Amino acid sequence: MSWLWAIIVGLVLGLIAKAILPGKQQIPLWLTVIFGILGSVLGNAVATWIGVNDTKGIDWIRHLLQLLGAVVVVGVGDMLWASMKGSRRHA
């Protein structure tokens, strides 16, 4: 069941990240989910690194770091996707 939860969280974080980023992103939905999952993992790693991954109550800092990770991964991934799609058209 944890893989299903990771997909749901990845979808939600990916869509929120796409909404935060300016402009229209060209990545498909399946890649948004993957980038959201990767951003969540990145945010969890940073939260663990700075020692705020498990606190009493709701882990707001960890969730914020997960969202920030998703924004970064979706932004960079969209740039890479656009450059790959652009180079295929010219080939």
Side-chain angles (χ1 to χ4, degrees), residues 7 9 12 16 20 26 45 49-50 52 58-59 61 64 68 73 90:
I7 292 171
V9 169
V12 170
I16 293 172
I20 290 173
Q26 303 298 323
W49 181 61
I50 63 174
V52 295
I58 299 174
D59 299 327
I61 297 172
L64 185 63
L68 184 63
V73 173
H90 299 299

Side-chain angles (χ1 to χ4, degrees), residues 41-71:
V41 169
L42 178 66
N44 277 336
V46 171
T48 300
W49 181 61
I50 63 174
V52 295
N53 62 327
D54 192 22
T55 60
K56 294 181 182 176
I58 299 174
D59 299 327
W60 292 110
I61 297 172
R62 181 174 56 104
H63 297 317
L64 185 63
L65 289 170
Q66 288 175 332
L67 179 59
L68 184 63
V71 168

Side-chain angles (χ1 to χ4, degrees), residues 4-87:
L4 181 61
W5 189 245
I7 292 171
I8 292 169
V9 169
L11 174 64
V12 170
L13 285 176
L15 291 175
I16 293 172
K18 284 179 80 167
I20 290 173
L21 289 168
K24 184 175 181 340
Q25 289 74 40
Q26 303 298 323
I27 58 174
L29 183 62
W30 65 269
L31 204 53
T32 302
V33 172
I34 291 172
F35 289 161
I37 293 169
L38 291 174
S40 176
V41 169
L42 178 66
N44 277 336
V46 171
T48 300
W49 181 61
I50 63 174
V52 295
N53 62 327
D54 192 22
T55 60
K56 294 181 182 176
I58 299 174
D59 299 327
W60 292 110
I61 297 172
R62 181 174 56 104
H63 297 317
L64 185 63
L65 289 170
Q66 288 175 332
L67 179 59
L68 184 63
V71 168
V72 169
V73 173
V74 167
V76 170
D78 182 59
M79 287 189 294
L80 292 172
W81 180 262
S83 69
M84 283 177 32
K85 284 297 198 180
S87 65

